[in-house]
PDB file of all heavy atoms in Angstrom:
ATOM      1  N   ILE A 169     -18.339  14.431   5.860  1.00 69.00           N
ATOM      2  CA  ILE A 169     -18.511  13.433   4.801  1.00 69.00           C
ATOM      3  C   ILE A 169     -19.057  12.102   5.313  1.00 69.00           C
ATOM      4  O   ILE A 169     -18.896  11.071   4.666  1.00 69.00           O
ATOM      5  CB  ILE A 169     -17.193  13.205   4.029  1.00 69.00           C
ATOM      6  CG1 ILE A 169     -16.070  12.809   4.973  1.00 69.00           C
ATOM      7  CG2 ILE A 169     -16.827  14.405   3.215  1.00 69.00           C
ATOM      8  CD1 ILE A 169     -14.792  12.449   4.270  1.00 69.00           C
ATOM      9  N   VAL A 170     -19.738  12.136   6.442  1.00 65.00           N
ATOM     10  CA  VAL A 170     -20.227  10.902   7.057  1.00 65.00           C
ATOM     11  C   VAL A 170     -21.190  10.133   6.144  1.00 65.00           C
ATOM     12  O   VAL A 170     -21.265   8.916   6.201  1.00 65.00           O
ATOM     13  CB  VAL A 170     -20.868  11.194   8.440  1.00 65.00           C
ATOM     14  CG1 VAL A 170     -22.189  11.908   8.297  1.00 65.00           C
ATOM     15  CG2 VAL A 170     -21.011   9.918   9.253  1.00 65.00           C
ATOM     16  N   PHE A 171     -21.882  10.828   5.265  1.00 71.00           N
ATOM     17  CA  PHE A 171     -22.840  10.159   4.387  1.00 71.00           C
ATOM     18  C   PHE A 171     -22.181   9.353   3.270  1.00 71.00           C
ATOM     19  O   PHE A 171     -22.849   8.549   2.616  1.00 71.00           O
ATOM     20  CB  PHE A 171     -23.834  11.179   3.801  1.00 71.00           C
ATOM     21  CG  PHE A 171     -23.189  12.252   2.981  1.00 71.00           C
ATOM     22  CD1 PHE A 171     -23.079  12.124   1.609  1.00 71.00           C
ATOM     23  CD2 PHE A 171     -22.680  13.389   3.580  1.00 71.00           C
ATOM     24  CE1 PHE A 171     -22.475  13.107   0.852  1.00 71.00           C
ATOM     25  CE2 PHE A 171     -22.083  14.385   2.834  1.00 71.00           C
ATOM     26  CZ  PHE A 171     -21.975  14.245   1.459  1.00 71.00           C
ATOM     27  N   ILE A 172     -20.878   9.526   3.063  1.00 75.00           N
ATOM     28  CA  ILE A 172     -20.177   8.724   2.051  1.00 75.00           C
ATOM     29  C   ILE A 172     -18.990   7.969   2.654  1.00 75.00           C
ATOM     30  O   ILE A 172     -18.143   7.465   1.932  1.00 75.00           O
ATOM     31  CB  ILE A 172     -19.699   9.587   0.861  1.00 75.00           C
ATOM     32  CG1 ILE A 172     -18.748  10.690   1.336  1.00 75.00           C
ATOM     33  CG2 ILE A 172     -20.856  10.141   0.073  1.00 75.00           C
ATOM     34  CD1 ILE A 172     -18.006  11.384   0.217  1.00 75.00           C
ATOM     35  N   ASP A 173     -18.939   7.877   3.986  1.00 66.00           N
ATOM     36  CA  ASP A 173     -17.794   7.258   4.650  1.00 66.00           C
ATOM     37  C   ASP A 173     -17.538   5.830   4.202  1.00 66.00           C
ATOM     38  O   ASP A 173     -16.404   5.418   4.029  1.00 66.00           O
ATOM     39  CB  ASP A 173     -17.933   7.338   6.167  1.00 66.00           C
ATOM     40  CG  ASP A 173     -19.167   6.612   6.696  1.00 66.00           C
ATOM     41  OD1 ASP A 173     -20.012   6.173   5.898  1.00 66.00           O
ATOM     42  OD2 ASP A 173     -19.263   6.503   7.926  1.00 66.00           O
ATOM     43  N   HIS A 174     -18.595   5.058   3.995  1.00 73.00           N
ATOM     44  CA  HIS A 174     -18.416   3.668   3.582  1.00 73.00           C
ATOM     45  C   HIS A 174     -17.800   3.581   2.183  1.00 73.00           C
ATOM     46  O   HIS A 174     -17.037   2.672   1.908  1.00 73.00           O
ATOM     47  CB  HIS A 174     -19.744   2.908   3.651  1.00 73.00           C
ATOM     48  CG  HIS A 174     -20.860   3.587   2.957  1.00 73.00           C
ATOM     49  ND1 HIS A 174     -21.523   4.669   3.491  1.00 73.00           N
ATOM     50  CD2 HIS A 174     -21.424   3.340   1.759  1.00 73.00           C
ATOM     51  CE1 HIS A 174     -22.464   5.060   2.652  1.00 73.00           C
ATOM     52  NE2 HIS A 174     -22.418   4.275   1.594  1.00 73.00           N
ATOM     53  N   TRP A 175     -18.132   4.541   1.334  1.00 82.00           N
ATOM     54  CA  TRP A 175     -17.530   4.568   0.001  1.00 82.00           C
ATOM     55  C   TRP A 175     -16.044   4.917   0.085  1.00 82.00           C
ATOM     56  O   TRP A 175     -15.220   4.352  -0.637  1.00 82.00           O
ATOM     57  CB  TRP A 175     -18.259   5.571  -0.900  1.00 82.00           C
ATOM     58  CG  TRP A 175     -19.600   5.074  -1.327  1.00 82.00           C
ATOM     59  CD1 TRP A 175     -20.809   5.454  -0.842  1.00 82.00           C
ATOM     60  CD2 TRP A 175     -19.856   4.074  -2.313  1.00 82.00           C
ATOM     61  NE1 TRP A 175     -21.817   4.751  -1.465  1.00 82.00           N
ATOM     62  CE2 TRP A 175     -21.258   3.897  -2.381  1.00 82.00           C
ATOM     63  CE3 TRP A 175     -19.054   3.302  -3.151  1.00 82.00           C
ATOM     64  CZ2 TRP A 175     -21.858   2.990  -3.242  1.00 82.00           C
ATOM     65  CZ3 TRP A 175     -19.664   2.405  -4.016  1.00 82.00           C
ATOM     66  CH2 TRP A 175     -21.041   2.250  -4.053  1.00 82.00           C
ATOM     67  N   ILE A 176     -15.689   5.834   0.976  1.00 74.00           N
ATOM     68  CA  ILE A 176     -14.285   6.205   1.159  1.00 74.00           C
ATOM     69  C   ILE A 176     -13.493   5.005   1.674  1.00 74.00           C
ATOM     70  O   ILE A 176     -12.418   4.694   1.150  1.00 74.00           O
ATOM     71  CB  ILE A 176     -14.151   7.409   2.117  1.00 74.00           C
ATOM     72  CG1 ILE A 176     -14.750   8.658   1.464  1.00 74.00           C
ATOM     73  CG2 ILE A 176     -12.685   7.647   2.496  1.00 74.00           C
ATOM     74  CD1 ILE A 176     -14.888   9.841   2.399  1.00 74.00           C
ATOM     75  N   ALA A 177     -14.026   4.330   2.694  1.00 72.00           N
ATOM     76  CA  ALA A 177     -13.355   3.142   3.232  1.00 72.00           C
ATOM     77  C   ALA A 177     -13.193   2.088   2.138  1.00 72.00           C
ATOM     78  O   ALA A 177     -12.112   1.496   1.983  1.00 72.00           O
ATOM     79  CB  ALA A 177     -14.142   2.578   4.411  1.00 72.00           C
ATOM     80  N   PHE A 178     -14.262   1.845   1.385  1.00 81.00           N
ATOM     81  CA  PHE A 178     -14.238   0.864   0.294  1.00 81.00           C
ATOM     82  C   PHE A 178     -13.159   1.220  -0.730  1.00 81.00           C
ATOM     83  O   PHE A 178     -12.315   0.387  -1.088  1.00 81.00           O
ATOM     84  CB  PHE A 178     -15.618   0.798  -0.367  1.00 81.00           C
ATOM     85  CG  PHE A 178     -15.642   0.082  -1.683  1.00 81.00           C
ATOM     86  CD1 PHE A 178     -15.518  -1.293  -1.743  1.00 81.00           C
ATOM     87  CD2 PHE A 178     -15.799   0.783  -2.869  1.00 81.00           C
ATOM     88  CE1 PHE A 178     -15.548  -1.963  -2.953  1.00 81.00           C
ATOM     89  CE2 PHE A 178     -15.838   0.125  -4.090  1.00 81.00           C
ATOM     90  CZ  PHE A 178     -15.706  -1.249  -4.134  1.00 81.00           C
ATOM     91  N   ILE A 179     -13.157   2.458  -1.204  1.00 83.00           N
ATOM     92  CA  ILE A 179     -12.219   2.877  -2.245  1.00 83.00           C
ATOM     93  C   ILE A 179     -10.780   2.794  -1.750  1.00 83.00           C
ATOM     94  O   ILE A 179      -9.906   2.260  -2.442  1.00 83.00           O
ATOM     95  CB  ILE A 179     -12.561   4.301  -2.742  1.00 83.00           C
ATOM     96  CG1 ILE A 179     -13.865   4.256  -3.552  1.00 83.00           C
ATOM     97  CG2 ILE A 179     -11.433   4.878  -3.586  1.00 83.00           C
ATOM     98  CD1 ILE A 179     -14.465   5.629  -3.845  1.00 83.00           C
ATOM     99  N   LEU A 180     -10.510   3.290  -0.540  1.00 75.00           N
ATOM    100  CA  LEU A 180      -9.141   3.248  -0.024  1.00 75.00           C
ATOM    101  C   LEU A 180      -8.640   1.822   0.143  1.00 75.00           C
ATOM    102  O   LEU A 180      -7.524   1.493  -0.281  1.00 75.00           O
ATOM    103  CB  LEU A 180      -9.047   3.993   1.311  1.00 75.00           C
ATOM    104  CG  LEU A 180      -9.102   5.519   1.237  1.00 75.00           C
ATOM    105  CD1 LEU A 180      -9.152   6.115   2.641  1.00 75.00           C
ATOM    106  CD2 LEU A 180      -7.913   6.072   0.470  1.00 75.00           C
ATOM    107  N   LEU A 181      -9.457   0.960   0.748  1.00 74.00           N
ATOM    108  CA  LEU A 181      -9.018  -0.423   0.962  1.00 74.00           C
ATOM    109  C   LEU A 181      -8.829  -1.170  -0.355  1.00 74.00           C
ATOM    110  O   LEU A 181      -7.865  -1.927  -0.515  1.00 74.00           O
ATOM    111  CB  LEU A 181     -10.004  -1.163   1.870  1.00 74.00           C
ATOM    112  CG  LEU A 181      -9.979  -0.724   3.333  1.00 74.00           C
ATOM    113  CD1 LEU A 181     -11.125  -1.365   4.096  1.00 74.00           C
ATOM    114  CD2 LEU A 181      -8.655  -1.049   3.986  1.00 74.00           C
ATOM    115  N   VAL A 182      -9.730  -0.956  -1.310  1.00 83.00           N
ATOM    116  CA  VAL A 182      -9.597  -1.632  -2.607  1.00 83.00           C
ATOM    117  C   VAL A 182      -8.355  -1.122  -3.337  1.00 83.00           C
ATOM    118  O   VAL A 182      -7.595  -1.915  -3.909  1.00 83.00           O
ATOM    119  CB  VAL A 182     -10.876  -1.466  -3.455  1.00 83.00           C
ATOM    120  CG1 VAL A 182     -10.646  -1.900  -4.893  1.00 83.00           C
ATOM    121  CG2 VAL A 182     -12.022  -2.279  -2.843  1.00 83.00           C
ATOM    122  N   LEU A 183      -8.122   0.193  -3.322  1.00 82.00           N
ATOM    123  CA  LEU A 183      -6.929   0.730  -3.991  1.00 82.00           C
ATOM    124  C   LEU A 183      -5.644   0.195  -3.366  1.00 82.00           C
ATOM    125  O   LEU A 183      -4.715  -0.196  -4.086  1.00 82.00           O
ATOM    126  CB  LEU A 183      -6.936   2.263  -3.946  1.00 82.00           C
ATOM    127  CG  LEU A 183      -7.928   2.957  -4.875  1.00 82.00           C
ATOM    128  CD1 LEU A 183      -7.914   4.462  -4.649  1.00 82.00           C
ATOM    129  CD2 LEU A 183      -7.631   2.636  -6.329  1.00 82.00           C
ATOM    130  N   ILE A 184      -5.595   0.174  -2.044  1.00 75.00           N
ATOM    131  CA  ILE A 184      -4.409  -0.358  -1.364  1.00 75.00           C
ATOM    132  C   ILE A 184      -4.235  -1.838  -1.707  1.00 75.00           C
ATOM    133  O   ILE A 184      -3.138  -2.294  -2.028  1.00 75.00           O
ATOM    134  CB  ILE A 184      -4.532  -0.169   0.159  1.00 75.00           C
ATOM    135  CG1 ILE A 184      -4.508   1.315   0.529  1.00 75.00           C
ATOM    136  CG2 ILE A 184      -3.395  -0.909   0.881  1.00 75.00           C
ATOM    137  CD1 ILE A 184      -4.980   1.590   1.945  1.00 75.00           C
ATOM    138  N   GLY A 185      -5.325  -2.598  -1.657  1.00 77.00           N
ATOM    139  CA  GLY A 185      -5.275  -4.024  -1.962  1.00 77.00           C
ATOM    140  C   GLY A 185      -4.846  -4.304  -3.386  1.00 77.00           C
ATOM    141  O   GLY A 185      -3.983  -5.164  -3.641  1.00 77.00           O
ATOM    142  N   VAL A 186      -5.417  -3.566  -4.339  1.00 85.00           N
ATOM    143  CA  VAL A 186      -5.063  -3.758  -5.751  1.00 85.00           C
ATOM    144  C   VAL A 186      -3.598  -3.401  -5.970  1.00 85.00           C
ATOM    145  O   VAL A 186      -2.886  -4.100  -6.712  1.00 85.00           O
ATOM    146  CB  VAL A 186      -5.996  -2.931  -6.666  1.00 85.00           C
ATOM    147  CG1 VAL A 186      -5.471  -2.855  -8.082  1.00 85.00           C
ATOM    148  CG2 VAL A 186      -7.401  -3.523  -6.651  1.00 85.00           C
ATOM    149  N   ASN A 187      -3.115  -2.354  -5.314  1.00 80.00           N
ATOM    150  CA  ASN A 187      -1.703  -1.990  -5.435  1.00 80.00           C
ATOM    151  C   ASN A 187      -0.807  -3.101  -4.894  1.00 80.00           C
ATOM    152  O   ASN A 187       0.218  -3.430  -5.497  1.00 80.00           O
ATOM    153  CB  ASN A 187      -1.429  -0.669  -4.717  1.00 80.00           C
ATOM    154  CG  ASN A 187      -0.030  -0.175  -4.981  1.00 80.00           C
ATOM    155  OD1 ASN A 187       0.392  -0.084  -6.131  1.00 80.00           O
ATOM    156  ND2 ASN A 187       0.694   0.134  -3.926  1.00 80.00           N
ATOM    157  N   MET A 188      -1.179  -3.696  -3.769  1.00 75.00           N
ATOM    158  CA  MET A 188      -0.395  -4.807  -3.223  1.00 75.00           C
ATOM    159  C   MET A 188      -0.405  -5.995  -4.171  1.00 75.00           C
ATOM    160  O   MET A 188       0.629  -6.655  -4.372  1.00 75.00           O
ATOM    161  CB  MET A 188      -0.931  -5.219  -1.854  1.00 75.00           C
ATOM    162  CG  MET A 188      -0.560  -4.256  -0.743  1.00 75.00           C
ATOM    163  SD  MET A 188      -1.262  -4.721   0.850  1.00 75.00           S
ATOM    164  CE  MET A 188      -0.277  -6.173   1.248  1.00 75.00           C
ATOM    165  N   ILE A 189      -1.560  -6.286  -4.773  1.00 84.00           N
ATOM    166  CA  ILE A 189      -1.658  -7.391  -5.731  1.00 84.00           C
ATOM    167  C   ILE A 189      -0.773  -7.111  -6.941  1.00 84.00           C
ATOM    168  O   ILE A 189      -0.046  -7.985  -7.420  1.00 84.00           O
ATOM    169  CB  ILE A 189      -3.126  -7.618  -6.143  1.00 84.00           C
ATOM    170  CG1 ILE A 189      -3.932  -8.142  -4.947  1.00 84.00           C
ATOM    171  CG2 ILE A 189      -3.219  -8.570  -7.338  1.00 84.00           C
ATOM    172  CD1 ILE A 189      -5.440  -8.119  -5.146  1.00 84.00           C
ATOM    173  N   ARG A 190      -0.811  -5.861  -7.426  1.00 84.00           N
ATOM    174  CA  ARG A 190       0.006  -5.474  -8.575  1.00 84.00           C
ATOM    175  C   ARG A 190       1.496  -5.644  -8.251  1.00 84.00           C
ATOM    176  O   ARG A 190       2.257  -6.176  -9.057  1.00 84.00           O
ATOM    177  CB  ARG A 190      -0.296  -4.025  -8.963  1.00 84.00           C
ATOM    178  CG  ARG A 190       0.440  -3.546 -10.200  1.00 84.00           C
ATOM    179  CD  ARG A 190       0.189  -2.066 -10.489  1.00 84.00           C
ATOM    180  NE  ARG A 190       0.427  -1.202  -9.358  1.00 84.00           N
ATOM    181  CZ  ARG A 190       1.638  -0.795  -8.944  1.00 84.00           C
ATOM    182  NH1 ARG A 190       2.710  -1.228  -9.565  1.00 84.00           N
ATOM    183  NH2 ARG A 190       1.762   0.008  -7.915  1.00 84.00           N
ATOM    184  N   GLU A 191       1.908  -5.202  -7.062  1.00 77.00           N
ATOM    185  CA  GLU A 191       3.304  -5.351  -6.662  1.00 77.00           C
ATOM    186  C   GLU A 191       3.695  -6.821  -6.533  1.00 77.00           C
ATOM    187  O   GLU A 191       4.812  -7.204  -6.877  1.00 77.00           O
ATOM    188  CB  GLU A 191       3.561  -4.635  -5.338  1.00 77.00           C
ATOM    189  CG  GLU A 191       3.573  -3.121  -5.464  1.00 77.00           C
ATOM    190  CD  GLU A 191       3.726  -2.431  -4.119  1.00 77.00           C
ATOM    191  OE1 GLU A 191       3.906  -3.119  -3.087  1.00 77.00           O
ATOM    192  OE2 GLU A 191       3.660  -1.187  -4.102  1.00 77.00           O
ATOM    193  N   ALA A 192       2.781  -7.642  -6.050  1.00 77.00           N
ATOM    194  CA  ALA A 192       3.069  -9.070  -5.892  1.00 77.00           C
ATOM    195  C   ALA A 192       3.256  -9.753  -7.236  1.00 77.00           C
ATOM    196  O   ALA A 192       4.040 -10.688  -7.363  1.00 77.00           O
ATOM    197  CB  ALA A 192       1.946  -9.759  -5.114  1.00 77.00           C
ATOM    198  N   CYS A 193       2.544  -9.276  -8.243  1.00 84.00           N
ATOM    199  CA  CYS A 193       2.619  -9.880  -9.573  1.00 84.00           C
ATOM    200  C   CYS A 193       3.741  -9.298 -10.416  1.00 84.00           C
ATOM    201  O   CYS A 193       4.040  -9.813 -11.487  1.00 84.00           O
ATOM    202  CB  CYS A 193       1.284  -9.710 -10.296  1.00 84.00           C
ATOM    203  SG  CYS A 193      -0.061 -10.602  -9.489  1.00 84.00           S
ATOM    204  N   GLY A 194       4.361  -8.206  -9.933  1.00 78.00           N
ATOM    205  CA  GLY A 194       5.465  -7.561 -10.655  1.00 78.00           C
ATOM    206  C   GLY A 194       6.728  -8.397 -10.582  1.00 78.00           C
ATOM    207  O   GLY A 194       6.887  -9.271  -9.743  1.00 78.00           O
ATOM    208  N   LYS A 195       7.637  -8.100 -11.455  1.00 66.00           N
ATOM    209  CA  LYS A 195       8.882  -8.859 -11.537  1.00 66.00           C
ATOM    210  C   LYS A 195      10.048  -8.156 -10.856  1.00 66.00           C
ATOM    211  O   LYS A 195      11.166  -8.640 -10.887  1.00 66.00           O
ATOM    212  CB  LYS A 195       9.245  -9.111 -13.010  1.00 66.00           C
ATOM    213  CG  LYS A 195       8.192  -9.877 -13.768  1.00 66.00           C
ATOM    214  CD  LYS A 195       8.052 -11.273 -13.232  1.00 66.00           C
ATOM    215  CE  LYS A 195       7.008 -12.023 -14.043  1.00 66.00           C
ATOM    216  NZ  LYS A 195       6.418 -13.116 -13.357  1.00 66.00           N
ATOM    217  N   GLU A 196       9.791  -6.978 -10.244  1.00 62.00           N
ATOM    218  CA  GLU A 196      10.870  -6.247  -9.604  1.00 62.00           C
ATOM    219  C   GLU A 196      11.365  -6.979  -8.367  1.00 62.00           C
ATOM    220  O   GLU A 196      10.587  -7.423  -7.550  1.00 62.00           O
ATOM    221  CB  GLU A 196      10.403  -4.858  -9.172  1.00 62.00           C
ATOM    222  CG  GLU A 196      10.157  -3.915 -10.310  1.00 62.00           C
ATOM    223  CD  GLU A 196       9.742  -2.541  -9.807  1.00 62.00           C
ATOM    224  OE1 GLU A 196      10.082  -2.186  -8.664  1.00 62.00           O
ATOM    225  OE2 GLU A 196       9.078  -1.848 -10.566  1.00 62.00           O
ATOM    226  N   ALA A 197      12.654  -7.067  -8.245  1.00 55.00           N
ATOM    227  CA  ALA A 197      13.253  -7.666  -7.047  1.00 55.00           C
ATOM    228  C   ALA A 197      13.581  -6.550  -6.064  1.00 55.00           C
ATOM    229  O   ALA A 197      14.111  -5.517  -6.450  1.00 55.00           O
ATOM    230  CB  ALA A 197      14.521  -8.429  -7.419  1.00 55.00           C
ATOM    231  N   GLU A 198      13.247  -6.759  -4.801  1.00 54.00           N
ATOM    232  CA  GLU A 198      13.555  -5.759  -3.783  1.00 54.00           C
ATOM    233  C   GLU A 198      15.008  -5.904  -3.376  1.00 54.00           C
ATOM    234  O   GLU A 198      15.524  -7.001  -3.221  1.00 54.00           O
ATOM    235  CB  GLU A 198      12.650  -5.943  -2.562  1.00 54.00           C
ATOM    236  CG  GLU A 198      11.256  -5.479  -2.832  1.00 54.00           C
ATOM    237  CD  GLU A 198      10.474  -5.317  -1.547  1.00 54.00           C
ATOM    238  OE1 GLU A 198      11.058  -4.905  -0.530  1.00 54.00           O
ATOM    239  OE2 GLU A 198       9.285  -5.601  -1.589  1.00 54.00           O
ATOM    240  N   LYS A 199      15.650  -4.752  -3.216  1.00 55.00           N
ATOM    241  CA  LYS A 199      17.038  -4.749  -2.793  1.00 55.00           C
ATOM    242  C   LYS A 199      17.068  -4.523  -1.287  1.00 55.00           C
ATOM    243  O   LYS A 199      16.558  -3.534  -0.794  1.00 55.00           O
ATOM    244  CB  LYS A 199      17.798  -3.629  -3.488  1.00 55.00           C
ATOM    245  CG  LYS A 199      17.882  -3.773  -4.991  1.00 55.00           C
ATOM    246  CD  LYS A 199      18.594  -2.582  -5.583  1.00 55.00           C
ATOM    247  CE  LYS A 199      18.508  -2.622  -7.094  1.00 55.00           C
ATOM    248  NZ  LYS A 199      19.045  -1.411  -7.706  1.00 55.00           N
ATOM    249  N   THR A 200      17.678  -5.431  -0.586  1.00 57.00           N
ATOM    250  CA  THR A 200      17.885  -5.247   0.846  1.00 57.00           C
ATOM    251  C   THR A 200      19.265  -5.759   1.196  1.00 57.00           C
ATOM    252  O   THR A 200      19.851  -6.565   0.478  1.00 57.00           O
ATOM    253  CB  THR A 200      16.853  -6.009   1.706  1.00 57.00           C
ATOM    254  OG1 THR A 200      16.977  -7.393   1.439  1.00 57.00           O
ATOM    255  CG2 THR A 200      15.448  -5.545   1.450  1.00 57.00           C
ATOM    256  N   ASP A 201      19.781  -5.247   2.289  1.00 61.00           N
ATOM    257  CA  ASP A 201      21.028  -5.781   2.816  1.00 61.00           C
ATOM    258  C   ASP A 201      20.801  -6.113   4.278  1.00 61.00           C
ATOM    259  O   ASP A 201      19.706  -5.978   4.792  1.00 61.00           O
ATOM    260  CB  ASP A 201      22.191  -4.807   2.593  1.00 61.00           C
ATOM    261  CG  ASP A 201      21.965  -3.468   3.265  1.00 61.00           C
ATOM    262  OD1 ASP A 201      21.288  -3.416   4.308  1.00 61.00           O
ATOM    263  OD2 ASP A 201      22.477  -2.462   2.748  1.00 61.00           O
ATOM    264  N   ASP A 202      21.865  -6.552   4.934  1.00 69.00           N
ATOM    265  CA  ASP A 202      21.689  -6.998   6.322  1.00 69.00           C
ATOM    266  C   ASP A 202      21.745  -5.866   7.338  1.00 69.00           C
ATOM    267  O   ASP A 202      21.695  -6.108   8.540  1.00 69.00           O
ATOM    268  CB  ASP A 202      22.685  -8.101   6.661  1.00 69.00           C
ATOM    269  CG  ASP A 202      24.124  -7.611   6.683  1.00 69.00           C
ATOM    270  OD1 ASP A 202      24.386  -6.474   6.226  1.00 69.00           O
ATOM    271  OD2 ASP A 202      24.988  -8.371   7.145  1.00 69.00           O
ATOM    272  N   SER A 203      21.797  -4.628   6.886  1.00 78.00           N
ATOM    273  CA  SER A 203      21.893  -3.487   7.787  1.00 78.00           C
ATOM    274  C   SER A 203      20.582  -3.275   8.559  1.00 78.00           C
ATOM    275  O   SER A 203      19.491  -3.348   7.995  1.00 78.00           O
ATOM    276  CB  SER A 203      22.210  -2.217   6.995  1.00 78.00           C
ATOM    277  OG  SER A 203      22.129  -1.082   7.828  1.00 78.00           O
ATOM    278  N   LEU A 204      20.716  -3.020   9.854  1.00 86.00           N
ATOM    279  CA  LEU A 204      19.582  -2.660  10.695  1.00 86.00           C
ATOM    280  C   LEU A 204      19.756  -1.222  11.185  1.00 86.00           C
ATOM    281  O   LEU A 204      19.194  -0.836  12.217  1.00 86.00           O
ATOM    282  CB  LEU A 204      19.446  -3.626  11.870  1.00 86.00           C
ATOM    283  CG  LEU A 204      19.222  -5.090  11.513  1.00 86.00           C
ATOM    284  CD1 LEU A 204      19.167  -5.951  12.768  1.00 86.00           C
ATOM    285  CD2 LEU A 204      17.956  -5.267  10.698  1.00 86.00           C
ATOM    286  N   ALA A 205      20.505  -0.432  10.417  1.00 85.00           N
ATOM    287  CA  ALA A 205      20.783   0.956  10.778  1.00 85.00           C
ATOM    288  C   ALA A 205      19.500   1.782  10.771  1.00 85.00           C
ATOM    289  O   ALA A 205      18.544   1.481  10.043  1.00 85.00           O
ATOM    290  CB  ALA A 205      21.795   1.554   9.801  1.00 85.00           C
ATOM    291  N   PHE A 206      19.489   2.826  11.581  1.00 91.00           N
ATOM    292  CA  PHE A 206      18.321   3.692  11.745  1.00 91.00           C
ATOM    293  C   PHE A 206      17.767   4.163  10.403  1.00 91.00           C
ATOM    294  O   PHE A 206      16.581   4.030  10.139  1.00 91.00           O
ATOM    295  CB  PHE A 206      18.690   4.902  12.618  1.00 91.00           C
ATOM    296  CG  PHE A 206      17.559   5.886  12.760  1.00 91.00           C
ATOM    297  CD1 PHE A 206      16.612   5.721  13.751  1.00 91.00           C
ATOM    298  CD2 PHE A 206      17.441   6.962  11.898  1.00 91.00           C
ATOM    299  CE1 PHE A 206      15.553   6.608  13.883  1.00 91.00           C
ATOM    300  CE2 PHE A 206      16.404   7.862  12.019  1.00 91.00           C
ATOM    301  CZ  PHE A 206      15.451   7.687  13.019  1.00 91.00           C
ATOM    302  N   ARG A 207      18.614   4.713   9.576  1.00 85.00           N
ATOM    303  CA  ARG A 207      18.156   5.299   8.310  1.00 85.00           C
ATOM    304  C   ARG A 207      17.462   4.270   7.416  1.00 85.00           C
ATOM    305  O   ARG A 207      16.389   4.516   6.889  1.00 85.00           O
ATOM    306  CB  ARG A 207      19.332   5.945   7.589  1.00 85.00           C
ATOM    307  CG  ARG A 207      18.948   6.597   6.290  1.00 85.00           C
ATOM    308  CD  ARG A 207      20.177   7.196   5.612  1.00 85.00           C
ATOM    309  NE  ARG A 207      19.851   7.601   4.274  1.00 85.00           N
ATOM    310  CZ  ARG A 207      19.908   8.840   3.849  1.00 85.00           C
ATOM    311  NH1 ARG A 207      20.270   9.797   4.663  1.00 85.00           N
ATOM    312  NH2 ARG A 207      19.618   9.120   2.603  1.00 85.00           N
ATOM    313  N   GLU A 208      18.087   3.122   7.247  1.00 84.00           N
ATOM    314  CA  GLU A 208      17.492   2.107   6.375  1.00 84.00           C
ATOM    315  C   GLU A 208      16.193   1.557   6.953  1.00 84.00           C
ATOM    316  O   GLU A 208      15.197   1.425   6.250  1.00 84.00           O
ATOM    317  CB  GLU A 208      18.457   0.948   6.124  1.00 84.00           C
ATOM    318  CG  GLU A 208      17.824  -0.092   5.219  1.00 84.00           C
ATOM    319  CD  GLU A 208      18.739  -1.228   4.842  1.00 84.00           C
ATOM    320  OE1 GLU A 208      19.961  -1.093   4.979  1.00 84.00           O
ATOM    321  OE2 GLU A 208      18.200  -2.251   4.401  1.00 84.00           O
ATOM    322  N   MET A 209      16.197   1.260   8.232  1.00 90.00           N
ATOM    323  CA  MET A 209      14.991   0.705   8.854  1.00 90.00           C
ATOM    324  C   MET A 209      13.858   1.728   8.880  1.00 90.00           C
ATOM    325  O   MET A 209      12.691   1.372   8.692  1.00 90.00           O
ATOM    326  CB  MET A 209      15.297   0.184  10.260  1.00 90.00           C
ATOM    327  CG  MET A 209      16.190  -1.044  10.266  1.00 90.00           C
ATOM    328  SD  MET A 209      15.623  -2.411   9.223  1.00 90.00           S
ATOM    329  CE  MET A 209      14.059  -2.806   9.975  1.00 90.00           C
TER     330      MET A 209
END
C-alpha cells in the first residue's frame, strides 16, 4: 500500500487528533485514585 501511505498516515493522525479534541471538550470526569498498583497502572 505504499502508493497510499500518506493518506493512511493523514487519516490515522487526524482521527486520533479529533478523538483527543472530542474527549477534551467532553464533560466526563476521569476517575483515578492514588494507587500505583500493577493492574491499575
Side-chain angles (χ1 to χ4, degrees):
I169 56 175
V170 71
F171 60 94
I172 59 167
D173 61 352
H174 51 283
W175 287 103
I176 293 170
F178 166 73
I179 289 168
L180 286 174
L181 289 172
V182 168
L183 286 175
I184 294 165
V186 167
N187 188 51
M188 285 178 71
I189 292 168
R190 183 184 52 79
E191 287 176 4
C193 295
K195 301 295 181 203
E196 289 182 25
E198 286 195 36
K199 296 177 188 173
T200 61
D201 60 30
D202 67 348
S203 172
L204 300 177
F206 176 87
R207 181 181 170 117
E208 180 176 342
M209 292 307 298

